[in-house]
Amino acid sequence: MAYFTLNDINENVESNMESFINDAESRFESSVTELADRFTSDCDIVLLAGPSSSGKTTTAGKIAQKIKNSGRNAYTLSLDDYYRNAADIPLTEKGLKDFENVSALDIDLIHRTFSDLIEKRTAQVPEFDFVSGTRKLETKRVELKKDDLIIVEGIHALNPIITKGLDESHITKVYISVSSRVTDDSGRVVFSKRNLRLVRRMIRDYHYRNTSVEKTLSQWQEVLKGEDKYIFPFERNASFRIDSFHPYEPCLFKSEAVELLGTVGEDSGVYPIASELKNSFSELDTIDMSKLPADSLLREFV
């Protein structure tokens, strides 16, 4: 785990913003390249897991591109597409839809897909519509030719239930998360690993999942409980790990995050966390969104 201070971040933004951004992107790209180079021809399925807003989707795509650059073919698949319809999602103790529960996924369908890919080299895969909360009727066909592989990403990808009964000699497991923190000079944590992911999730869900800031914040504690129960116990199953934190990202997210957090009224039950997050940005410089590289992982959230 790495620590970055507010002063160090601000100094880099003020003195050499472009290099600061490029260095962060280069470090992440290098880690993905090193990972992709380790996948042997015996590997048919790469399982990429991590907690919410770790950058799994973009990283899966980047791994696939690295594989293609090496002369092999690669596909990506999200376990999110295996969610049960919203009406069938289990509930938390508070009566909320428990999307963090592994039982929210159609495990039998996942097993059939993986088994077909390993044994038959082809499968029909589903697609989930998050706006309607239902799985689409149409499916798409994936076919693995010789030496092809598929990267499957999702918060539960390392849970043993996902691969139960399968020949795991064909499977490689990877864990990705934000593994760094931002502190002040005294060592006080300003942005925890979890709060950095919360900022990412808040912005992403507002734009892509038709979810208000207040709803995202109100669901966060249940998300964390789900991570503690269904994700973190299985990270040790991974053969490889990636830190997706980009040191410049708090400055990049600042303007939009502060604006969105400002929409939460003082009478809201999530106002304290909204206010705390908003204050965390107060000492940071701002990076305009136009400075974000076109191929950055952070584009997954903006």
Side-chain angles (χ1 to χ4, degrees):
M1 180 171 57
Y3 292 84
F4 298 85
T5 69
L6 293 173
N7 280 340
D8 286 343
I9 291 173
N10 285 337
E11 286 177 7
N12 276 284
V13 170
E14 293 164 7
S15 63
N16 53 359
M17 180 192 300
E18 185 173 338
S19 294
F20 186 43
I21 293 173
N22 289 338
D23 286 349
E25 295 294 335
S26 294
R27 281 194 298 273
F28 182 73
E29 287 292 331
S30 294
S31 66
V32 174
T33 298
E34 181 182 353
L35 173 65
D37 287 343
R38 297 189 180 191
F39 297 145
T40 68
S41 59
D42 294 330
C43 175
D44 296 323
I45 299 174
V46 175
L47 295 181
L48 178 66
S52 174
S53 302
S54 294
K56 296 181 291 296
T57 301
T58 299
T59 302
K62 286 181 176 290
I63 294 172
Q65 188 58 53
K66 303 289 185 186
I67 296 295
K68 291 175 183 177
N69 292 345
S70 71
R72 301 167 65 189
N73 203 6
Y75 302 88
T76 59
L77 177 64
S78 174
L79 287 183
D80 285 358
D81 285 319
Y82 288 83
Y83 272 123
R84 300 181 184 277
N85 291 339
D88 301 319
I89 298 294
L91 302 178
T92 67
E93 295 176 354
K94 296 181 179 180
L96 303 174
K97 298 290 184 183
D98 190 1
F99 286 98
E100 313 308 313
N101 191 324
V102 69
S103 298
L105 299 176
D106 189 335
I107 303 299
D108 289 340
L109 182 56
I110 292 172
H111 287 168
R112 288 200 299 274
T113 299
F114 287 3
S115 179
D116 285 347
L117 287 171
I118 292 172
E119 296 175 9
K120 303 176 183 177
R121 311 291 292 172
T122 186
Q124 293 293 133
V125 299
E127 183 177 357
F128 193 85
D129 183 350
F130 278 93
V131 176
S132 67
T134 58
R135 195 186 303 156
K136 294 181 179 180
L137 295 177
E138 304 85 3
T139 61
K140 59 182 179 180
R141 183 171 177 265
V142 173
E143 180 179 358
L144 300 181
K145 294 184 172 62
K146 187 178 184 299
D147 294 337
D148 289 355
L149 59 77
I150 187 165
I151 300 102
V152 183
E153 58 88 6
I155 60 175
H156 297 297
L158 298 186
N159 191 316
I161 195 174
I162 297 297
T163 53
K164 185 177 181 181
L166 299 175
D167 181 358
E168 294 201 23
S169 66
H170 296 267
I171 299 171
T172 300
K173 299 179 180 181
V174 180
Y175 182 80
I176 183 171
S177 186
V178 171
S179 301
S180 303
R181 294 170 173 164
V182 178
T183 69
D184 61 17
D185 284 343
S186 70
R188 178 181 65 87
V189 176
V190 180
F191 285 98
S192 67
K193 295 179 290 184
R194 281 179 153 176
N195 277 357
L196 287 165
R197 289 191 292 109
L198 174 55
V199 171
R200 289 178 172 187
R201 178 176 172 126
M202 175 186 72
I203 296 173
R204 179 203 66 189
D205 285 8
Y206 177 80
H207 286 293
Y208 294 122
R209 298 196 174 179
N210 196 31
T211 304
S212 69
V213 174
E214 190 164 357
K215 184 175 181 180
T216 296
L217 297 182
S218 67
Q219 293 175 333
W220 188 238
Q221 288 305 312
E222 294 301 323
V223 171
L224 298 185
K225 289 179 182 177
E227 292 175 355
D228 289 338
K229 186 174 182 180
Y230 297 111
I231 301 175
F232 296 144
F234 307 118
E235 62 177 287
R236 65 181 180 272
N237 295 336
S239 300
F240 307 103
R241 300 175 66 92
I242 299 179
D243 181 0
S244 69
F245 178 63
H246 291 50
Y248 71 91
E249 68 179 84
C251 300
L252 182 81
F253 292 146
K254 177 178 177 178
S255 291
E256 184 160 19
V258 168
E259 181 179 352
L260 291 176
L261 291 165
T263 65
V264 179
E266 294 185 13
D267 59 342
S268 170
V270 297
Y271 180 76
I273 181 63
S275 179
E276 178 186 347
L277 277 177
K278 188 176 178 181
N279 289 338
S280 297
F281 286 99
S282 61
E283 297 180 48
L284 279 171
D285 288 342
T286 302
I287 295 178
D288 189 82
M289 200 64 72
S290 64
K291 302 296 183 181
L292 180 61
D295 60 349
S296 175
L297 170 142
L298 300 179
R299 285 200 174 272
E300 183 175 327
F301 308 103
V302 301

